[in-house]
PDB file of all heavy atoms in Angstrom:
ATOM      1  N   SER A 135     -16.476   3.802  -2.758  1.00 47.00           N
ATOM      2  CA  SER A 135     -15.879   4.216  -4.015  1.00 47.00           C
ATOM      3  C   SER A 135     -15.371   5.634  -3.931  1.00 47.00           C
ATOM      4  O   SER A 135     -14.816   6.173  -4.876  1.00 47.00           O
ATOM      5  CB  SER A 135     -16.913   4.113  -5.146  1.00 47.00           C
ATOM      6  OG  SER A 135     -18.025   4.940  -4.857  1.00 47.00           O
ATOM      7  N   HIS A 136     -15.606   6.277  -2.747  1.00 53.00           N
ATOM      8  CA  HIS A 136     -15.236   7.668  -2.518  1.00 53.00           C
ATOM      9  C   HIS A 136     -13.727   7.851  -2.568  1.00 53.00           C
ATOM     10  O   HIS A 136     -13.238   8.964  -2.692  1.00 53.00           O
ATOM     11  CB  HIS A 136     -15.778   8.071  -1.148  1.00 53.00           C
ATOM     12  CG  HIS A 136     -15.748   9.544  -0.874  1.00 53.00           C
ATOM     13  ND1 HIS A 136     -16.516  10.449  -1.552  1.00 53.00           N
ATOM     14  CD2 HIS A 136     -15.037  10.255   0.029  1.00 53.00           C
ATOM     15  CE1 HIS A 136     -16.291  11.663  -1.073  1.00 53.00           C
ATOM     16  NE2 HIS A 136     -15.397  11.572  -0.118  1.00 53.00           N
ATOM     17  N   GLY A 137     -12.960   6.746  -2.478  1.00 46.00           N
ATOM     18  CA  GLY A 137     -11.516   6.833  -2.315  1.00 46.00           C
ATOM     19  C   GLY A 137     -10.789   7.473  -3.472  1.00 46.00           C
ATOM     20  O   GLY A 137      -9.740   8.085  -3.299  1.00 46.00           O
ATOM     21  N   SER A 138     -11.301   7.344  -4.706  1.00 48.00           N
ATOM     22  CA  SER A 138     -10.594   7.893  -5.850  1.00 48.00           C
ATOM     23  C   SER A 138     -10.491   9.404  -5.791  1.00 48.00           C
ATOM     24  O   SER A 138      -9.666  10.012  -6.459  1.00 48.00           O
ATOM     25  CB  SER A 138     -11.283   7.460  -7.150  1.00 48.00           C
ATOM     26  OG  SER A 138     -12.626   7.935  -7.154  1.00 48.00           O
ATOM     27  N   ALA A 139     -11.339  10.046  -4.966  1.00 66.00           N
ATOM     28  CA  ALA A 139     -11.331  11.501  -4.849  1.00 66.00           C
ATOM     29  C   ALA A 139     -10.395  11.974  -3.750  1.00 66.00           C
ATOM     30  O   ALA A 139     -10.362  13.160  -3.453  1.00 66.00           O
ATOM     31  CB  ALA A 139     -12.743  12.003  -4.576  1.00 66.00           C
ATOM     32  N   ASP A 140      -9.656  11.072  -3.122  1.00 84.00           N
ATOM     33  CA  ASP A 140      -8.787  11.420  -1.996  1.00 84.00           C
ATOM     34  C   ASP A 140      -7.341  11.049  -2.313  1.00 84.00           C
ATOM     35  O   ASP A 140      -6.915   9.929  -2.025  1.00 84.00           O
ATOM     36  CB  ASP A 140      -9.262  10.697  -0.733  1.00 84.00           C
ATOM     37  CG  ASP A 140      -8.557  11.220   0.513  1.00 84.00           C
ATOM     38  OD1 ASP A 140      -7.477  11.823   0.380  1.00 84.00           O
ATOM     39  OD2 ASP A 140      -9.086  11.023   1.618  1.00 84.00           O
ATOM     40  N   PRO A 141      -6.579  11.959  -2.904  1.00 89.00           N
ATOM     41  CA  PRO A 141      -5.177  11.645  -3.245  1.00 89.00           C
ATOM     42  C   PRO A 141      -4.352  11.262  -2.027  1.00 89.00           C
ATOM     43  O   PRO A 141      -3.424  10.456  -2.131  1.00 89.00           O
ATOM     44  CB  PRO A 141      -4.669  12.953  -3.870  1.00 89.00           C
ATOM     45  CG  PRO A 141      -5.910  13.667  -4.330  1.00 89.00           C
ATOM     46  CD  PRO A 141      -6.967  13.305  -3.333  1.00 89.00           C
ATOM     47  N   GLY A 142      -4.683  11.859  -0.857  1.00 91.00           N
ATOM     48  CA  GLY A 142      -3.930  11.536   0.352  1.00 91.00           C
ATOM     49  C   GLY A 142      -4.044  10.068   0.707  1.00 91.00           C
ATOM     50  O   GLY A 142      -3.048   9.413   1.019  1.00 91.00           O
ATOM     51  N   PHE A 143      -5.258   9.542   0.637  1.00 94.00           N
ATOM     52  CA  PHE A 143      -5.437   8.121   0.918  1.00 94.00           C
ATOM     53  C   PHE A 143      -4.820   7.257  -0.179  1.00 94.00           C
ATOM     54  O   PHE A 143      -4.190   6.233   0.106  1.00 94.00           O
ATOM     55  CB  PHE A 143      -6.922   7.761   1.055  1.00 94.00           C
ATOM     56  CG  PHE A 143      -7.145   6.277   1.105  1.00 94.00           C
ATOM     57  CD1 PHE A 143      -6.882   5.559   2.253  1.00 94.00           C
ATOM     58  CD2 PHE A 143      -7.552   5.587  -0.034  1.00 94.00           C
ATOM     59  CE1 PHE A 143      -7.055   4.175   2.293  1.00 94.00           C
ATOM     60  CE2 PHE A 143      -7.729   4.209  -0.002  1.00 94.00           C
ATOM     61  CZ  PHE A 143      -7.481   3.505   1.165  1.00 94.00           C
ATOM     62  N   ASN A 144      -5.014   7.641  -1.431  1.00 94.00           N
ATOM     63  CA  ASN A 144      -4.482   6.843  -2.545  1.00 94.00           C
ATOM     64  C   ASN A 144      -2.975   6.662  -2.421  1.00 94.00           C
ATOM     65  O   ASN A 144      -2.431   5.582  -2.666  1.00 94.00           O
ATOM     66  CB  ASN A 144      -4.828   7.506  -3.876  1.00 94.00           C
ATOM     67  CG  ASN A 144      -6.320   7.484  -4.173  1.00 94.00           C
ATOM     68  OD1 ASN A 144      -7.057   6.719  -3.569  1.00 94.00           O
ATOM     69  ND2 ASN A 144      -6.750   8.330  -5.073  1.00 94.00           N
ATOM     70  N   GLU A 145      -2.298   7.727  -2.028  1.00 95.00           N
ATOM     71  CA  GLU A 145      -0.842   7.651  -1.845  1.00 95.00           C
ATOM     72  C   GLU A 145      -0.483   6.667  -0.736  1.00 95.00           C
ATOM     73  O   GLU A 145       0.437   5.849  -0.878  1.00 95.00           O
ATOM     74  CB  GLU A 145      -0.285   9.037  -1.511  1.00 95.00           C
ATOM     75  CG  GLU A 145       1.225   9.031  -1.236  1.00 95.00           C
ATOM     76  CD  GLU A 145       1.733  10.375  -0.762  1.00 95.00           C
ATOM     77  OE1 GLU A 145       0.937  11.325  -0.698  1.00 95.00           O
ATOM     78  OE2 GLU A 145       2.935  10.456  -0.439  1.00 95.00           O
ATOM     79  N   GLN A 146      -1.224   6.742   0.386  1.00 95.00           N
ATOM     80  CA  GLN A 146      -0.928   5.852   1.503  1.00 95.00           C
ATOM     81  C   GLN A 146      -1.246   4.397   1.167  1.00 95.00           C
ATOM     82  O   GLN A 146      -0.545   3.491   1.614  1.00 95.00           O
ATOM     83  CB  GLN A 146      -1.706   6.299   2.742  1.00 95.00           C
ATOM     84  CG  GLN A 146      -1.299   7.653   3.274  1.00 95.00           C
ATOM     85  CD  GLN A 146       0.191   7.761   3.543  1.00 95.00           C
ATOM     86  OE1 GLN A 146       0.839   6.804   3.964  1.00 95.00           O
ATOM     87  NE2 GLN A 146       0.753   8.938   3.288  1.00 95.00           N
ATOM     88  N   GLU A 147      -2.284   4.175   0.385  1.00 96.00           N
ATOM     89  CA  GLU A 147      -2.601   2.798   0.002  1.00 96.00           C
ATOM     90  C   GLU A 147      -1.500   2.211  -0.869  1.00 96.00           C
ATOM     91  O   GLU A 147      -1.115   1.047  -0.708  1.00 96.00           O
ATOM     92  CB  GLU A 147      -3.939   2.719  -0.730  1.00 96.00           C
ATOM     93  CG  GLU A 147      -4.310   1.275  -1.073  1.00 96.00           C
ATOM     94  CD  GLU A 147      -5.624   1.129  -1.802  1.00 96.00           C
ATOM     95  OE1 GLU A 147      -6.124   2.145  -2.320  1.00 96.00           O
ATOM     96  OE2 GLU A 147      -6.142  -0.004  -1.865  1.00 96.00           O
ATOM     97  N   ILE A 148      -0.967   3.018  -1.797  1.00 95.00           N
ATOM     98  CA  ILE A 148       0.132   2.541  -2.644  1.00 95.00           C
ATOM     99  C   ILE A 148       1.339   2.192  -1.776  1.00 95.00           C
ATOM    100  O   ILE A 148       1.988   1.153  -1.955  1.00 95.00           O
ATOM    101  CB  ILE A 148       0.503   3.607  -3.690  1.00 95.00           C
ATOM    102  CG1 ILE A 148      -0.624   3.745  -4.722  1.00 95.00           C
ATOM    103  CG2 ILE A 148       1.817   3.246  -4.387  1.00 95.00           C
ATOM    104  CD1 ILE A 148      -0.436   4.911  -5.677  1.00 95.00           C
ATOM    105  N   ARG A 149       1.640   3.041  -0.821  1.00 96.00           N
ATOM    106  CA  ARG A 149       2.765   2.782   0.081  1.00 96.00           C
ATOM    107  C   ARG A 149       2.529   1.510   0.891  1.00 96.00           C
ATOM    108  O   ARG A 149       3.453   0.715   1.093  1.00 96.00           O
ATOM    109  CB  ARG A 149       2.974   3.971   1.027  1.00 96.00           C
ATOM    110  CG  ARG A 149       3.383   5.265   0.355  1.00 96.00           C
ATOM    111  CD  ARG A 149       3.628   6.349   1.394  1.00 96.00           C
ATOM    112  NE  ARG A 149       4.794   6.030   2.201  1.00 96.00           N
ATOM    113  CZ  ARG A 149       5.010   6.532   3.426  1.00 96.00           C
ATOM    114  NH1 ARG A 149       4.112   7.316   3.990  1.00 96.00           N
ATOM    115  NH2 ARG A 149       6.101   6.196   4.097  1.00 96.00           N
ATOM    116  N   PHE A 150       1.298   1.335   1.355  1.00 97.00           N
ATOM    117  CA  PHE A 150       0.983   0.135   2.133  1.00 97.00           C
ATOM    118  C   PHE A 150       1.130  -1.117   1.287  1.00 97.00           C
ATOM    119  O   PHE A 150       1.684  -2.128   1.751  1.00 97.00           O
ATOM    120  CB  PHE A 150      -0.444   0.211   2.683  1.00 97.00           C
ATOM    121  CG  PHE A 150      -0.896  -1.081   3.313  1.00 97.00           C
ATOM    122  CD1 PHE A 150      -0.410  -1.480   4.550  1.00 97.00           C
ATOM    123  CD2 PHE A 150      -1.776  -1.926   2.645  1.00 97.00           C
ATOM    124  CE1 PHE A 150      -0.802  -2.684   5.118  1.00 97.00           C
ATOM    125  CE2 PHE A 150      -2.178  -3.129   3.205  1.00 97.00           C
ATOM    126  CZ  PHE A 150      -1.690  -3.513   4.451  1.00 97.00           C
ATOM    127  N   ARG A 151       0.648  -1.101   0.058  1.00 97.00           N
ATOM    128  CA  ARG A 151       0.734  -2.289  -0.794  1.00 97.00           C
ATOM    129  C   ARG A 151       2.190  -2.630  -1.091  1.00 97.00           C
ATOM    130  O   ARG A 151       2.562  -3.814  -1.153  1.00 97.00           O
ATOM    131  CB  ARG A 151      -0.046  -2.071  -2.094  1.00 97.00           C
ATOM    132  CG  ARG A 151      -1.555  -1.925  -1.900  1.00 97.00           C
ATOM    133  CD  ARG A 151      -2.141  -3.101  -1.139  1.00 97.00           C
ATOM    134  NE  ARG A 151      -3.583  -2.944  -0.925  1.00 97.00           N
ATOM    135  CZ  ARG A 151      -4.294  -3.696  -0.114  1.00 97.00           C
ATOM    136  NH1 ARG A 151      -3.725  -4.663   0.590  1.00 97.00           N
ATOM    137  NH2 ARG A 151      -5.600  -3.484   0.023  1.00 97.00           N
ATOM    138  N   ASN A 152       3.021  -1.625  -1.281  1.00 97.00           N
ATOM    139  CA  ASN A 152       4.454  -1.882  -1.488  1.00 97.00           C
ATOM    140  C   ASN A 152       5.071  -2.501  -0.239  1.00 97.00           C
ATOM    141  O   ASN A 152       5.859  -3.457  -0.326  1.00 97.00           O
ATOM    142  CB  ASN A 152       5.183  -0.584  -1.840  1.00 97.00           C
ATOM    143  CG  ASN A 152       4.866  -0.096  -3.242  1.00 97.00           C
ATOM    144  OD1 ASN A 152       4.517  -0.884  -4.122  1.00 97.00           O
ATOM    145  ND2 ASN A 152       4.979   1.198  -3.469  1.00 97.00           N
ATOM    146  N   LEU A 153       4.726  -1.959   0.924  1.00 96.00           N
ATOM    147  CA  LEU A 153       5.228  -2.513   2.184  1.00 96.00           C
ATOM    148  C   LEU A 153       4.749  -3.942   2.365  1.00 96.00           C
ATOM    149  O   LEU A 153       5.535  -4.827   2.737  1.00 96.00           O
ATOM    150  CB  LEU A 153       4.737  -1.657   3.349  1.00 96.00           C
ATOM    151  CG  LEU A 153       5.009  -2.237   4.743  1.00 96.00           C
ATOM    152  CD1 LEU A 153       6.477  -2.071   5.100  1.00 96.00           C
ATOM    153  CD2 LEU A 153       4.126  -1.564   5.793  1.00 96.00           C
ATOM    154  N   GLU A 154       3.483  -4.188   2.102  1.00 96.00           N
ATOM    155  CA  GLU A 154       2.898  -5.518   2.273  1.00 96.00           C
ATOM    156  C   GLU A 154       3.643  -6.543   1.428  1.00 96.00           C
ATOM    157  O   GLU A 154       4.000  -7.626   1.911  1.00 96.00           O
ATOM    158  CB  GLU A 154       1.427  -5.457   1.865  1.00 96.00           C
ATOM    159  CG  GLU A 154       0.659  -6.747   2.056  1.00 96.00           C
ATOM    160  CD  GLU A 154      -0.779  -6.597   1.606  1.00 96.00           C
ATOM    161  OE1 GLU A 154      -1.023  -5.954   0.550  1.00 96.00           O
ATOM    162  OE2 GLU A 154      -1.672  -7.122   2.300  1.00 96.00           O
ATOM    163  N   ARG A 155       3.894  -6.209   0.174  1.00 97.00           N
ATOM    164  CA  ARG A 155       4.574  -7.139  -0.734  1.00 97.00           C
ATOM    165  C   ARG A 155       6.004  -7.418  -0.256  1.00 97.00           C
ATOM    166  O   ARG A 155       6.444  -8.576  -0.213  1.00 97.00           O
ATOM    167  CB  ARG A 155       4.597  -6.543  -2.142  1.00 97.00           C
ATOM    168  CG  ARG A 155       5.216  -7.467  -3.190  1.00 97.00           C
ATOM    169  CD  ARG A 155       5.197  -6.854  -4.568  1.00 97.00           C
ATOM    170  NE  ARG A 155       6.021  -5.654  -4.663  1.00 97.00           N
ATOM    171  CZ  ARG A 155       5.552  -4.417  -4.685  1.00 97.00           C
ATOM    172  NH1 ARG A 155       4.250  -4.186  -4.614  1.00 97.00           N
ATOM    173  NH2 ARG A 155       6.367  -3.386  -4.773  1.00 97.00           N
ATOM    174  N   ARG A 156       6.716  -6.384   0.131  1.00 96.00           N
ATOM    175  CA  ARG A 156       8.114  -6.569   0.542  1.00 96.00           C
ATOM    176  C   ARG A 156       8.219  -7.276   1.888  1.00 96.00           C
ATOM    177  O   ARG A 156       9.132  -8.091   2.093  1.00 96.00           O
ATOM    178  CB  ARG A 156       8.799  -5.201   0.603  1.00 96.00           C
ATOM    179  CG  ARG A 156       8.956  -4.543  -0.757  1.00 96.00           C
ATOM    180  CD  ARG A 156       9.429  -3.117  -0.638  1.00 96.00           C
ATOM    181  NE  ARG A 156       9.553  -2.477  -1.948  1.00 96.00           N
ATOM    182  CZ  ARG A 156       9.796  -1.182  -2.137  1.00 96.00           C
ATOM    183  NH1 ARG A 156       9.932  -0.390  -1.087  1.00 96.00           N
ATOM    184  NH2 ARG A 156       9.888  -0.684  -3.354  1.00 96.00           N
ATOM    185  N   ALA A 157       7.310  -6.970   2.792  1.00 96.00           N
ATOM    186  CA  ALA A 157       7.343  -7.602   4.110  1.00 96.00           C
ATOM    187  C   ALA A 157       7.080  -9.101   4.006  1.00 96.00           C
ATOM    188  O   ALA A 157       7.767  -9.909   4.649  1.00 96.00           O
ATOM    189  CB  ALA A 157       6.323  -6.944   5.033  1.00 96.00           C
ATOM    190  N   MET A 158       6.096  -9.480   3.205  1.00 96.00           N
ATOM    191  CA  MET A 158       5.790 -10.902   3.057  1.00 96.00           C
ATOM    192  C   MET A 158       6.929 -11.638   2.352  1.00 96.00           C
ATOM    193  O   MET A 158       7.215 -12.798   2.665  1.00 96.00           O
ATOM    194  CB  MET A 158       4.483 -11.088   2.295  1.00 96.00           C
ATOM    195  CG  MET A 158       3.263 -10.507   3.010  1.00 96.00           C
ATOM    196  SD  MET A 158       3.107 -11.033   4.742  1.00 96.00           S
ATOM    197  CE  MET A 158       2.864 -12.806   4.520  1.00 96.00           C
ATOM    198  N   LYS A 159       7.581 -10.966   1.418  1.00 97.00           N
ATOM    199  CA  LYS A 159       8.736 -11.574   0.752  1.00 97.00           C
ATOM    200  C   LYS A 159       9.879 -11.778   1.744  1.00 97.00           C
ATOM    201  O   LYS A 159      10.538 -12.834   1.755  1.00 97.00           O
ATOM    202  CB  LYS A 159       9.195 -10.674  -0.397  1.00 97.00           C
ATOM    203  CG  LYS A 159      10.433 -11.162  -1.134  1.00 97.00           C
ATOM    204  CD  LYS A 159      10.194 -12.483  -1.841  1.00 97.00           C
ATOM    205  CE  LYS A 159      11.399 -12.889  -2.681  1.00 97.00           C
ATOM    206  NZ  LYS A 159      11.231 -14.233  -3.277  1.00 97.00           N
ATOM    207  N   LEU A 160      10.117 -10.775   2.599  1.00 95.00           N
ATOM    208  CA  LEU A 160      11.174 -10.891   3.600  1.00 95.00           C
ATOM    209  C   LEU A 160      10.866 -12.003   4.591  1.00 95.00           C
ATOM    210  O   LEU A 160      11.758 -12.781   4.966  1.00 95.00           O
ATOM    211  CB  LEU A 160      11.346  -9.561   4.334  1.00 95.00           C
ATOM    212  CG  LEU A 160      12.436  -9.514   5.405  1.00 95.00           C
ATOM    213  CD1 LEU A 160      13.801  -9.866   4.818  1.00 95.00           C
ATOM    214  CD2 LEU A 160      12.476  -8.128   6.063  1.00 95.00           C
ATOM    215  N   LEU A 161       9.611 -12.114   5.014  1.00 96.00           N
ATOM    216  CA  LEU A 161       9.227 -13.193   5.929  1.00 96.00           C
ATOM    217  C   LEU A 161       9.457 -14.548   5.281  1.00 96.00           C
ATOM    218  O   LEU A 161       9.948 -15.488   5.928  1.00 96.00           O
ATOM    219  CB  LEU A 161       7.757 -13.042   6.324  1.00 96.00           C
ATOM    220  CG  LEU A 161       7.200 -14.108   7.275  1.00 96.00           C
ATOM    221  CD1 LEU A 161       7.961 -14.113   8.600  1.00 96.00           C
ATOM    222  CD2 LEU A 161       5.708 -13.887   7.514  1.00 96.00           C
ATOM    223  N   GLN A 162       9.118 -14.654   4.016  1.00 96.00           N
ATOM    224  CA  GLN A 162       9.340 -15.908   3.290  1.00 96.00           C
ATOM    225  C   GLN A 162      10.823 -16.253   3.240  1.00 96.00           C
ATOM    226  O   GLN A 162      11.211 -17.416   3.416  1.00 96.00           O
ATOM    227  CB  GLN A 162       8.777 -15.783   1.875  1.00 96.00           C
ATOM    228  CG  GLN A 162       8.955 -17.029   1.018  1.00 96.00           C
ATOM    229  CD  GLN A 162       8.442 -16.830  -0.404  1.00 96.00           C
ATOM    230  OE1 GLN A 162       7.956 -15.757  -0.766  1.00 96.00           O
ATOM    231  NE2 GLN A 162       8.559 -17.859  -1.216  1.00 96.00           N
TER     232      GLN A 162
END
């Protein structure tokens, strides 16, 4: 639960989730 205190990680997770969604859509 330590992640909410790390803006650097939070930003990268948001970027990853956006990439994940778009990549799977492109593969489809």
Side-chain angles (χ1 to χ4, degrees):
S135 59
H136 192 67
S138 60
D140 191 340
F143 170 77
N144 292 343
E145 177 186 357
Q146 295 306 325
E147 183 180 16
I148 291 172
R149 295 183 67 202
F150 171 74
R151 294 305 179 192
N152 288 334
L153 171 75
E154 183 181 41
R155 183 179 64 256
R156 293 171 181 172
M158 297 309 296
K159 177 64 175 175
L160 181 58
L161 180 60
Q162 180 183 0

